[in-house]
Amino acid sequence: MTDDAGVDADAETDANDERTADPEVPADPEHESEIPEDHPRYQSLLTRHRIEHGVDLGITSKQGLIAEGRGEAFDYLLGEETLPSADTAARAAAAHLLLAEHPVLSVNGNVAALVPGEVVALAEATGADIEVNLFNRTDERMQAIADHLREHGADDVKGLTADGRIPGLSHERAKVDADGIGGADVVVVPLEDGDRAEALGAMGKTEIVIDLNPMSRSAQVAAVPIVDNIIRAVPNVTRHAEELADASDEELREIVEAFDPEAALADAERAIREGDLD
Ligand code: PTJ
């Protein structure tokens, strides 16, 4: 309907309704289900909510908030989506995990807050152990993270015994379970820009690193660097592992051998440099 001044009255009422309607995103959502899935920044809001909740639960360190900010900046430049090269890396990671004698998924405070159920699903799909390994290690956080993972379905959570050591590391990440990371042949190392991946390599272990920064030290030394948000990467590796469940060892080895870590890192860096900053 148009009035004498040519103004569409229905449209004006709609606009007024929109201006006075309650905001869809609550200022301080208690549960992630309160974040509307169609919000343009949904994934970022969800990630921030999970990390904040992790700090409240005593799982994530305050430094974890800063680490998430660093990751988020890279994700923004990557367009918040999985690159084809990251998907190829996820498939190679799944093949490595299925071929492994003793695969282990390493979990820190950020990983536990962001993808606890997804880590349990990946462990189930690949027969991997789950081990808590922390930079800012305290008994309270170790216990809180193990409990949190059990609440999300983990049967056995390693890392609390700490009867093994990674040689050459001066910080708390050196502490591992002898029958966990200590005895693993393939280790998934997510969200840590540090020297542990290199030290694990020196022990003859194969590392799969998940990190949004292709220049992080861990990504640079990984046999398989997955440059993707862990929120997307872990379910993606699980999906590939489920698809490859019946593949022969020969087929899995072909996938592993065809993967080129340097090309994956170069592609991620190219995508970041050429990123569309809209
Ligand atoms: O729980 P703790 O005590 O073991 O401490 C964990 C943190 C994350 C605080 C600690 O490992 C740390 O300080 O890590 P850095 O050195 O900041 O490295 C974290 C890396 O993860 C950075 O390279 C980030 O780009 C990357 N990152 C952050 N968030 C994500 C991510 N990569 C993938 N997905 C994310 N959501």
Side-chain angles (χ1 to χ4, degrees), residues 226-242:
I226 307 176
V227 183
D228 200 6
N229 196 318
I230 193 164
I231 282 203
R232 298 187 295 270
V234 170
N236 200 22
V237 179
T238 305
R239 181 177 63 79
H240 282 297
E242 286 168 354

Side-chain angles (χ1 to χ4, degrees), residues 47 59-72 74 107-110 114 133-137 141 145 173 190-194 210-213 216-217 226 228-231:
T47 309
I59 287 172
T60 310
S61 68
K62 285 187 189 159
Q63 290 194 11
L65 295 169
I66 300 165
E68 174 56 35
R70 174 142 66 138
E72 203 175 294
F74 283 105
V107 172
N108 66 18
N110 284 46
L114 291 175
N133 178 279
L134 299 182
F135 185 70
N136 298 114
R137 184 183 176 115
R141 281 186 69 219
I145 292 172
R173 276 193 191 130
L191 273 61
E192 56 178 70
D193 177 3
I210 301 172
D211 197 314
L212 277 158
N213 176 6
S216 98
R217 277 169 297 175
I226 307 176
D228 200 6
N229 196 318
I230 193 164
I231 282 203

